[in-house]
Structures are given as C-alpha cells and as structure tokens.
C-alpha cells in the first residue's frame, strides 16, 4: 500500500474559535486579554458615571427648589466627569491593545495558511482556484481581525455591564429592578430566537446560514475570476453574462442567501429592538403604581430617576451583545475555513533515515493506482511503465485517459495510492523534496509568467543564474525575436504597460526557464498546445535542445510530436493498453492505430466552397 502524506491540523484537536484565534495571536494574546479587561473596566466606569449622575439628581430633588443647599452635587458632578473621561481613556487603551493583537493574529493566520499551502501537493491547486483561496484567506482573516479588535472587547464589556447593572439595580430598589429586567429578558429571548433561526429547525440556524452565505460568496468570487478571464470569448461571440452559467448561478445563489439572511433576522431583530427600547413601557406604569404605595414620595422619585437614567444603558448593553454575538458566529465560520486549509494533508518530506539519492534519471511506475481526493473511481489503475535514463517516452490516449495524472506523480504533485513511482531506482517519496524538484523540470501546456521581468521569469528556475546564462537560455529556447521586440528587452516586465505575450511566446519563455534549470528529467505536458505554426516550429527546435541527454516523459495530443519517441505508452481509462514504438503501434491495428488514422484525417481537412463536404 502507498504511504500517506502528512496530515494538517486534526479535526479532533480543533478548539473553540476564540481559543484558536488566541493561539494564532501567539505572544500578542496577552494584549487581547488586557484589552478585554480594560473594556470591562470601561463598562464599570460607565456605570459609576451614571451612579454619580443619579447622586446629583437625588441631592437636587432632596433640596428642591433650594438647589444651593445641595453641596455634594458639584462633587458628584466632577466625579461623573472623571469616570466618563477615565472610561474613554481606558477604552482607548483597551482598543489599542486589541487592535495590535488583531493585526498580529491576522498576519499569523495568513502566514500559517500560506506556509501550509506551500507544503500541500501541487495538485491541490487544480481543485481549488486562486480566487477561492484568496477569498478564504483574505476574507477569513479580515473577519477575525474585526472580531478581535472590536467585537470581543465590546462583548466582554457587555457581559460586565449587566452584572454590575443588576447589583446596582437591586441595591437601590429590588421591585423596580425586577420591572426593568422585563425588557432585558424579552430582548435576550429575541436574540436567542434569531440565533436559532427565527423559530426554524436546526438546519436553519444562524451558523448554518452564515456558512451557506460565506460559501455563496466564495462561489461568486470564483465565478467572477473565471468570467473576467473569459471576457475575450464573450466579446468575440457577442455573448452575455448568461453564457457563463456558473457565474450567473453563483450570483443568484448569493442573492438568495443574502435575502434569506434578511428574512431570518427580520422578525426576531425587530422584536428585540422594540423590546430593548421599550423600557419606559413597563417603567412608567410601574412607577405610577409604586408611587401611590410609597410613604416618602421624594425618596421614591429619587430612586425612580435612577432607573430613568439607567434605561439608556440597557439599550446600549443589549445592542453590543447582539452585534458581538453575530460577529462571533462569523468568526467561527471564518476560523473553520482557515482550519480546512490547515487540515489539508501536507506533502511529507522524505524520512532522513530512509532518504537516498537516485543513481540516474530513469523513471519507473510499478503497479501504480491513484484516485483523486473525493473521486469515486481511480484515475490510474495498476499502471506499470519504464523510462530509461536519457530516453524519450510519450504518453498518449483519449482525453481523460490519465496521461497528465501519470506525469504529475513523478514530481509528487500527488502521491500514489498503491504501488510506487521511482527515479533512478529510488521511490520518489524517499527523495528529499528539494532534491526531487532539482531533478525535474516541467513545461506545461498552460505555463504562466509572473508579473516581473523576462529575465526574472527565467531566473525563477535557478535564482543564481548569471545574465550570460539567461541570455544563452533565451537563444536556446528560440526567444531572441521575443526579447528583441520588447521595449526594455530582458528587463521588460510582463503584464505592465500593455506588454503581453501570446500563448506560443509564453511557452518559449517557459522553455527557457526549463533549459536554464538543466534538470536531468524533463516532463512535457503538450508544450505546443497553444502554439501557432511558426511558434510550434520554434518550440520544437527548443525542445530538441532541452531534451539532449535528458530523460523525457512527454504527454502528447498531436501525435506528430511522438513519432520519434523511443517508446510510446497508450493509456485508456487509466490503464496502459498498448506500448511500443510508433511503427509497431501503427501497424498493430489497436487504439493507437485508430488515433493515428484520425489524426491524419483531421490534418487533411480543408474548407472548400459551397457544396463540398468531404476531406481532400
């Protein structure tokens, strides 16, 4: 059986979202704790300020209308101002701490995700688009940044406030305290109703909706990237956005989830806002009833003013709790998305105790079976083949036969499920990854260039390459004409100031990159796929230079490119069905012979005038 790749973060070891965020904060977690403590202190200052305001009102009522007879009123007023100012200073200090911690946490989350992505199998990126990954990493870290910087300290303050609030309320008048609790309890019940899905079942709760909502955003972002890349096709064929059904469907799904989110919150949030802002609905009638029973109306009125003053705090307190709860739900979903990236099995480097160095550049597949993650059936089944050192072997077959999959197993874009892939007699899993990458050069059918100079694009394969070596690689890859027409030659930045290259030109630059790497093994995945006849001829010349003395494993759709291969393996439905030279296979009358006949038929077709519908 094949050995498994390294694991990411085990799901069983997941912690609560806030604890996981604090883990990402590292040494800055103490700032988060300090910021939350200062937020709690600010809540206490707010209550102390209101108590002082009530003391002022109580003393003024006691001596009314002889206001000057209340000597303590000025002192209480100054104390209220001091508590208000102190609360602002403490709150500012707390937010400073939480912001510093939030920025560090977001940075650490991005770094952890990107570092882990650098260790996952390269095939992972075929199943996850750059738009999707960017949305997850940037979106998730952005959400958690806001949660740590604002929502958590506000939530702590909102939790401290009701505790102190209850103590003070019942200390003044326990009956009025109970009355004032009525809107708070109703508001809390509405919040729980909203978080539970507005009375729906467990599949329509807030967490489920938040996950579906973020999924819809991810799909829309992915679809937008694909649509932008396909705009030339839209313009050429005069199509509309409706022709991109995936993008259109993702927009529709986002609209539905956004609307569902509004409907989910509509009734409970309206009820919550009405309840928390209706303190006087219960306070006024209760005050009238209790005033009749009060022996000392002046003392009762002073106590009543306390609850009038504190009613404003009730609204602020419950609003903070509501928004903080929603933010925590968003943070939970964001952390879960980052965790899914971190749980992706990483590519395990060779065990140093088992690591070996290949004796040559030969490649061998020994009864290899491979199934893509999540697939129902294997892409390759019991494939065995051999590429001798210095030989050129081609893989051909119908679309979806497993050619690219087989080639991707050599540099460990994926690891085999069963069997083994060896280089120079050594299992590729026993070759250190750095050594393996040094031994294999790749030229893909859709090679992309970085947005940097031509020279730096070529130097990416070997950072220590000199200018002279880069120029030699350019000549060998037949790129002289490309460089000659660029405004700054090799120093021209691709993609800047309107500088773009055609598909065939990009392929030749990619070949220069492979040539300068000078690896003993070359994997070619239909290197002439997007080339016009002129570029194809130049690419073929560059390939001949690149292949000298190298082991070449090539994937071909144009069968004319494999006629001179030392051996050809024909794949169909993930299995090797034929093998041999071109002459032998063409004469065998099997799949390859039919493909060769179809190829010749296709290249002989030509467009003629009206009434002709046959091949020449």
């Amino acid at each position: 059986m094949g050995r498994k790749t390294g694991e990411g973060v085990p799901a069983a070891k997941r912690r609560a979202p806030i604890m996981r965020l604090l883990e990402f904060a590292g040494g800055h977690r103490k700032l988060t704790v300090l910021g939350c403590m200062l937020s709690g202190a600010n809540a206490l200052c707010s209550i102390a300020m209101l108590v002082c305001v009530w003391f002022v009102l109580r003393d003024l009522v006691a001596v009314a209308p002889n206001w000057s007879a209340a000597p303590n009123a000025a002192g209480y007023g100054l104390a209220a101002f001091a508590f208000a100012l102190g609360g602002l200073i403490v709150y500012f200090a707390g937010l400073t701490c939480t912001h510093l911690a939030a920025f560090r946490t977001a940075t650490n989350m991005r770094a952890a995700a990107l570092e882990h992505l650098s260790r996952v199998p390269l095939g992972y990126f075929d199943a996850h688009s750059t738009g999707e990954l960017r949305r997850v990493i940037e979106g998730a870290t952005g959400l958690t940044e806001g949660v740590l910087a604002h929502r958590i300290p506000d939530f702590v303050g909102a939790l401290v406030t009701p505790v102190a609030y209850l103590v003070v309320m019942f200390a003044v008048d326990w009956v009025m305290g109970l009355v004032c609790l009525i809107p708070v309890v109703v508001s809390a019940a509405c919040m729980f109703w909203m978080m539970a899905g507005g009375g729906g079942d467990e599949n329509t709760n807030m967490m489920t909706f938040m996950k579906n909502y973020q999924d819809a955003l991810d799909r829309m972002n992915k679809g937008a990237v694909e649509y932008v890349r396909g705009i030339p096709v839209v313009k050429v064929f005069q199509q509309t956005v409706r022709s991109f059904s995936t993008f259109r469907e993702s927009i529709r799904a986002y609209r539905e989830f956004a609307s569902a989110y509004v409907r989910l919150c509509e009734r409970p949030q309206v009820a919550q806002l009405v309840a928390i802002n209706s303190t006087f609905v219960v306070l006024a009638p209760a005050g009238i009833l209790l005033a009749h029973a009060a022996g000392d109306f002046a003392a009762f009125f002073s106590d009543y003013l306390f609850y009038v003053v504190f009613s404003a705090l009730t609204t602020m307190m419950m609003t903070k709790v509501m928004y903080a709860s929603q933010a925590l739900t968003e943070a939970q979903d964001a952390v879960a998305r980052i965790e899914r990236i971190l749980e992706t099995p990483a590519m395990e480097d060779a065990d140093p105790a088992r690591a070996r160095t290949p004796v040559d550049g030969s490649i061998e597949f020994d009864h290899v079976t491979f199934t893509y993650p999540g697939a129902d059936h294997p892409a390759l089944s019991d494939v065995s083949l051999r590429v001798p050192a210095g030989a050129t072997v081609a893989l051909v077959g119908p679309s979806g036969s497993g050619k690219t999959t087989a080639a991707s197993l050599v540099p460990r874009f994926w690891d085999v499920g069963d069997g083994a892939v060896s280089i120079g007699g050594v299992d590729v899993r026993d070759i250190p990854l750095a050594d393996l990458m040094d031994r294999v050069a790749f030229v893909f059918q859709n090679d992309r260039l970085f947005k940097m100079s031509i020279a730096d694009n070529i130097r990416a394969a070997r950072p220590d390459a000199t200018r002279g070596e880069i120029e030699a690689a350019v000549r060998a890859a037949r790129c002289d004409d490309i460089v000659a027409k660029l405004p700054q030659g090799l120093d021209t930045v691709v993609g800047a100031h309107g500088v773009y290259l055609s598909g065939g030109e990009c392929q030749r630059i990619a070949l220069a990159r492979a040539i300068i790497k000078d690896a003993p093994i070359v994997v070619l995945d239909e290197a002439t796929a997007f080339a016009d006849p002129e570029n194809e001829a130049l690419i073929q010349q560059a390939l001949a230079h690149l292949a000298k003395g190298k082991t070449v494993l090539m994937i071909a759709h144009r069968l004319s490119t494999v006629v001179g291969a030392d051996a050809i393996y024909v794949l169909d439905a993930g299995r090797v069905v034929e093998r041999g030279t071109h002459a032998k296979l063409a004469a065998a009358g099997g799949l390859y012979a039919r493909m060769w006949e179809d190829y010749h038929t296709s290249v002989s077709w030509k467009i003629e005038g009206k009434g002709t519908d046959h091949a020449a």
Side-chain angles (χ1 to χ4, degrees):
M1 294 293 291
R3 288 164 290 185
K4 293 182 179 179
T5 55
E7 297 296 330
V9 178
K13 293 187 177 180
R14 287 183 185 174
R15 296 193 179 185
I18 300 305
M19 296 303 298
R20 188 66 176 122
L21 286 177
L22 292 179
E23 289 179 5
F24 281 119
H28 285 65
R29 73 184 68 181
K30 294 179 181 178
L31 286 177
T32 301
V33 175
L34 177 59
C36 291
M37 292 175 63
L38 291 175
S39 180
N42 168 63
L44 295 177
C45 287
S46 298
I47 290 181
M49 177 198 69
L50 292 176
V51 170
C52 290
V53 170
W54 173 62
F55 283 157
V56 172
L57 295 174
R58 184 195 60 182
D59 288 357
L60 291 176
V61 169
V63 299
N66 187 17
W67 314 119
S68 60
N72 294 327
Y76 288 136
L78 289 175
F81 176 76
F83 279 120
L85 181 61
L88 286 175
I89 294 173
V90 167
Y91 189 60
F92 175 79
L95 287 184
T96 300
C97 292
T98 55
H99 273 77
L100 289 174
F103 296 150
R104 174 57 60 183
T105 301
T107 299
N108 289 346
M109 288 180 73
R110 292 188 184 100
L114 293 174
E115 190 277 333
H116 188 75
L117 285 175
S118 71
R119 296 187 292 109
V120 302
L122 292 181
Y124 173 83
F125 299 99
D126 291 335
H128 299 80
S129 70
T130 53
E132 175 190 352
L133 293 174
R134 182 180 182 276
R135 167 78 179 83
V136 170
I137 295 174
E138 290 297 324
T141 54
L143 276 175
T144 54
E145 185 178 299
V147 168
L148 284 177
H150 291 282
R151 300 307 186 191
I152 289 181
D154 284 349
F155 188 68
V156 171
L159 290 179
V160 170
T161 300
V163 175
Y165 180 48
L166 288 173
V167 171
V168 176
M169 277 199 311
F170 284 98
V172 175
D173 188 325
W174 69 270
V175 177
M176 290 297 293
L178 286 175
V179 170
C180 287
L181 274 182
I182 295 174
V184 174
V185 172
V186 173
S187 176
C190 291
M191 286 176 57
F192 282 115
W193 178 26
M194 182 169 62
M195 298 302 292
D201 58 35
E202 60 180 7
N203 295 318
T204 60
N205 59 31
M206 181 65 73
M207 190 62 211
T208 301
F209 265 99
M210 189 58 62
K211 179 182 180 302
N212 292 336
Y213 176 73
Q214 294 297 331
D215 287 341
L217 277 177
D218 289 343
R219 287 192 296 271
M220 188 168 63
N221 190 74
K222 180 180 178 180
V225 172
E226 294 174 351
Y227 174 66
V228 170
R229 289 176 177 171
I231 282 178
V233 178
V234 175
K235 293 174 105 31
V236 167
F237 292 101
Q238 296 296 304
Q239 298 297 307
T240 67
V241 70
R242 292 178 181 273
S243 62
F244 284 80
S245 58
T246 301
F247 186 34
R248 181 168 175 263
E249 177 62 24
S250 67
I251 295 175
R252 186 195 63 78
Y254 174 76
R255 180 191 65 196
E256 288 185 359
F257 280 117
S259 301
Y261 180 77
V262 172
R263 291 193 297 270
L264 172 74
C265 299
E266 184 178 12
R267 288 184 297 170
Q269 187 164 14
V270 169
Q272 190 269 338
L273 290 174
V274 169
I276 202 60
N277 286 284
S278 62
T279 305
F280 277 101
V281 172
V282 293
L283 192 59
I288 294 173
L289 293 174
L290 294 173
H292 286 289
D296 186 346
F297 180 79
F300 170 79
F301 186 68
S302 296
D303 292 345
Y304 184 76
L305 287 177
F306 169 82
Y307 295 98
V308 171
V309 171
F310 265 76
S311 63
L313 184 64
T314 305
T315 302
M316 179 183 68
M317 172 186 70
M318 294 306 296
T319 301
K320 282 187 175 183
V321 170
M322 180 182 66
Y323 284 114
S325 300
Q326 178 180 340
L328 290 176
T329 302
E330 294 175 350
Q332 183 176 350
D333 180 72
V335 170
R337 291 172 185 275
I338 290 291
E339 292 286 17
R340 280 199 290 273
I341 291 179
L342 297 179
E343 288 169 7
T344 303
M347 186 64 69
E348 195 175 65
D349 206 348
D351 184 348
R354 239 183 9 233
R356 292 186 292 156
T357 301
V359 296
D360 56 30
S362 62
I363 302 172
E364 183 172 1
F365 281 60
D366 182 16
H367 299 285
V368 168
T369 295
F370 171 75
T371 304
Y372 283 104
D376 297 328
H377 58 277
L380 294 175
S381 299
D382 196 30
V383 171
S384 295
L385 60 86
R386 177 172 172 76
V387 186
T392 296
V393 169
L395 302 179
V396 301
S399 179
S401 59
K403 304 182 297 295
T404 298
T405 300
S408 69
L409 298 180
V410 176
R412 292 189 68 191
F413 285 8
W414 299 103
D415 272 340
V416 301
D418 289 306
V421 177
S422 303
I423 292 179
V426 180
D427 192 313
V428 291
R429 292 166 293 189
D430 292 333
I431 303 174
L433 285 173
D435 186 16
L436 179 62
M437 292 299 104
D438 287 340
R439 291 177 178 275
V440 184
F442 324 95
V443 181
F444 302 114
Q445 58 180 305
N446 58 346
D447 268 308
R448 295 178 182 174
L449 301 183
F450 302 112
K451 190 176 181 179
M452 53 188 180
S453 70
I454 296 292
D456 287 337
N457 266 286
I458 296 173
R459 190 182 284 114
R462 187 156 63 86
D464 61 346
T466 64
R467 183 78 172 193
E469 290 171 328
I470 293 174
E471 292 172 350
V474 167
R475 289 191 295 273
R478 307 300 190 268
C479 297
D480 306 75
D481 60 321
I482 301 174
V483 175
K485 71 178 183 181
L486 297 176
Q488 284 84 42
L490 283 173
D491 297 316
T492 303
V493 176
V494 179
H497 306 294
V499 177
Y500 297 97
L501 303 180
S502 68
E505 290 171 336
C506 287
Q507 286 295 86
R508 282 192 274 161
I509 297 296
L511 280 169
R513 184 189 289 164
I515 288 171
I516 204 169
K517 184 173 183 179
D518 196 27
I521 298 173
V522 179
V523 177
L524 303 174
D525 186 356
E526 194 51 76
T528 62
F530 302 128
D532 53 61
E534 181 182 356
N535 270 305
E536 182 176 3
L538 294 171
I539 289 173
Q540 291 290 3
Q541 296 173 25
L543 287 174
H545 184 283
L546 174 63
K548 286 180 181 177
K550 307 290 175 59
T551 302
V552 179
L553 180 64
M554 62 186 301
I555 300 165
H557 298 95
R558 298 182 183 181
L559 296 186
S560 60
T561 62
V562 305
V563 172
D566 297 305
I568 300 172
Y569 285 82
V570 183
L571 279 72
D572 189 22
R575 296 179 179 274
V576 175
V577 295
E578 292 180 289
R579 68 190 70 192
T581 62
H582 166 72
K584 177 182 175 182
L585 292 173
L591 176 59
Y592 182 85
R594 294 194 298 274
M595 292 173 61
W596 179 251
E597 182 180 353
D598 291 341
Y599 171 75
H600 264 285
T601 301
S602 67
V603 298
S604 66
W605 279 99
K606 61 183 179 181
I607 299 176
E608 297 183 356
K610 184 177 179 181
T612 56
D613 58 355
H614 59 275

